[in-house]
Amino acid sequence: MKILVTGGLGFIGSHTVVELQNEGFEVVAIDNLSNSSFEVLDGIEKITGKKLLFENIDLREKLAIQNFFKKHQDIMGVIHFAASKAVGESVENPLLYYENNINSLVYLLQELANLPQANFIFSSSCTVYGQAEKMPITEDASVQPANSPYGNTKQIGEEIINDVVKVTNINSVLLRYFNPIGAHSSAEIGELPIGVPQNLVPFITQTGIGIRKELSVYGNDYPTPDGTCIRDYIHVVDLAKAHVVALQRLLNKQNLERVETFNLGTGKGSSVLEVINAFEKVSGQKLPYKIVGRREGDVISAYANTDKANKVLGWKAAFSLEDALASAWKWEQKVRS
């Protein structure tokens, strides 16, 4: 059974490719390598022992997508990761984000709409909730006005999918991730941002290994126990496994609605200082950091109610924050060795 993974050499995409191959799926990955590299192909192959079918395609090129689907007419499901994902960059360059995240989604759905049946997993985000009024956040929480063009592209993406399934044979699952971190236990693949990391954990590991002088903690005056922001950090392997389960649900026609939505997190919130302390514990070294002013667009607290994913999908996060940080540190050390 052939599955297309867009952004298949990226951080979450590559880990999901591994889990799909381990489950026996034939996977074809496409990526434009804007935030990934060819080396990831070797890492995937070392883990699974299987060759990955890969095509270097930019999803903003409509003709390239049409040609791809002409060539691969036996695709049974699509997991769509390919998108730009840095909040700060999206504020500075909104048009890049609208072109990359919206156009590519539309072009993909146009091809799937031509098929007698299609299964589509969308990589969404907890950013759609903004600053939720109640913790933990359930799937019923209201979608707030987006704090950034990135967040807006995820909201618009969900709206487009909800409109399209009404008039096509596409079935879809929207997966709203909280904060993916960590790396594969083999340290063959992991998170390797190009340039300065936009996310907390790669910045921590790069500071730990000496690439960055110190970590900036954005604000310690939030209404939280230690004054720093709280997030739900989920191990990327747990996240990848959830995609496989969601895909199998669609393939087995177990979905109860044409579009189903699930939160993916651990259900536990950790503050920035708690993450720093946990890293120091697993790495055995002190992390230099300084408190700086708050950052535009940061919500105070966001962690998931995972009851729906636990009960309906039968999926639950297995790894702890320490597990995830230890794997991220192991990966960072391997990359720099």
Side-chain angles (χ1 to χ4, degrees):
M1 205 175 267
K2 192 187 279 184
I3 305 301
L4 165 62
V5 179
T6 73
L9 300 194
F11 174 42
I12 306 169
S14 59
H15 287 82
T16 303
V17 166
V18 164
E19 297 304 324
L20 286 166
Q21 287 189 326
N22 286 343
E23 284 292 315
F25 288 100
E26 182 189 352
V27 183
V28 54
I30 59 181
D31 203 300
N32 69 353
L33 304 174
S34 61
N35 199 28
S36 57
S37 70
F38 272 123
E39 283 78 23
V40 179
L41 278 171
D42 298 331
I44 292 170
E45 198 174 329
K46 278 179 188 162
I47 295 167
T48 65
K50 294 173 185 171
K51 201 106 183 115
L52 175 64
L53 196 57
F54 172 72
E55 296 205 23
N56 186 342
I57 291 175
D58 191 321
L59 289 175
R60 292 171 295 187
E61 294 171 14
K62 187 173 181 174
L63 189 61
I65 301 175
Q66 290 173 338
N67 290 336
F68 175 87
F69 276 92
K70 276 183 198 142
K71 194 161 94 179
H72 299 276
Q73 295 185 359
D74 53 346
I75 283 177
M76 296 296 293
V78 176
I79 304 181
H80 180 44
F81 293 108
S84 303
K85 63 180 179 65
V87 170
E89 184 187 45
S90 77
V91 174
E92 289 160 21
N93 196 346
L95 287 174
L96 170 77
Y97 274 64
Y98 288 116
E99 182 192 29
N100 200 29
N101 295 8
I102 303 300
N103 290 14
S104 59
L105 173 65
V106 168
Y107 298 157
L108 264 178
L109 291 172
Q110 283 173 335
E111 295 311 304
L112 295 181
N114 293 329
L115 302 177
Q117 188 187 330
N119 301 298
F120 189 73
I121 309 283
F122 181 60
S123 165
S124 193
S125 166
C126 66
T127 56
V128 301
Y129 298 118
Q131 180 53 70
E133 289 154 23
K134 209 167 110 195
M135 292 295 142
I137 301 169
T138 67
E139 288 82 356
D140 299 330
S142 59
V143 169
Q144 306 279 356
N147 286 337
S148 67
Y150 163 70
N152 202 25
T153 65
K154 291 301 179 186
Q155 291 183 9
I156 294 167
E158 289 195 2
E159 289 168 9
I160 289 168
I161 292 163
N162 274 294
D163 287 339
V164 169
V165 298
K166 291 173 189 163
V167 292
T168 63
N169 287 319
I170 300 171
N171 285 285
S172 183
V173 173
L174 313 176
L175 297 177
R176 292 174 177 166
Y177 319 154
F178 281 67
N179 291 63
I181 61 170
H184 195 269
S185 59
S186 64
E188 292 294 349
I189 55 172
E191 187 170 12
L192 192 61
I194 290 169
V196 179
Q198 301 279 341
N199 297 332
L200 177 63
V201 171
F203 212 111
I204 284 177
T205 58
Q206 288 190 14
T207 305
I209 210 147
I211 294 169
R212 311 281 160 201
K213 190 170 128 245
E214 62 186 357
L215 173 75
S216 293
V217 175
Y218 295 103
N220 66 345
D221 57 350
Y222 285 96
T224 61
D226 64 20
T228 62
C229 292
I230 289 173
R231 298 288 183 271
D232 187 339
Y233 295 95
I234 175 172
H235 197 304
V236 66
V237 172
D238 278 330
L239 191 64
K241 287 176 189 287
H243 288 76
V244 180
V245 174
L247 178 68
Q248 287 167 330
R249 180 173 172 81
L250 291 181
L251 293 170
N252 295 332
K253 298 185 168 43
Q254 292 168 315
N255 52 309
L256 303 178
E257 296 168 88
R258 300 294 302 280
V259 180
E260 294 184 323
T261 305
F262 297 96
N263 285 339
L264 296 181
T266 64
K268 181 179 183 298
S270 302
S271 73
V272 176
L273 291 182
E274 284 173 333
V275 176
I276 290 170
N277 292 335
F279 174 76
E280 289 181 339
K281 187 173 145 195
V282 300
S283 67
Q285 61 187 77
K286 290 296 285 178
L287 193 78
Y289 69 89
K290 65 175 178 186
I291 307 291
V292 298
R294 292 185 181 193
R295 186 171 55 178
E296 185 78 29
D298 274 344
V299 298
I300 301 160
S301 181
Y303 55 97
N305 178 316
T306 59
D307 290 350
K308 188 178 176 189
N310 298 162
K311 288 171 189 160
V312 179
L313 289 180
W315 167 90
K316 195 172 173 50
F319 294 105
S320 68
L321 176 64
E322 283 81 7
D323 293 333
L325 289 167
S327 68
W329 181 231
K330 183 181 170 187
W331 160 250
E332 186 74 58
Q333 289 172 302
K334 178 173 189 282
V335 169
R336 308 302 167 188
S337 61

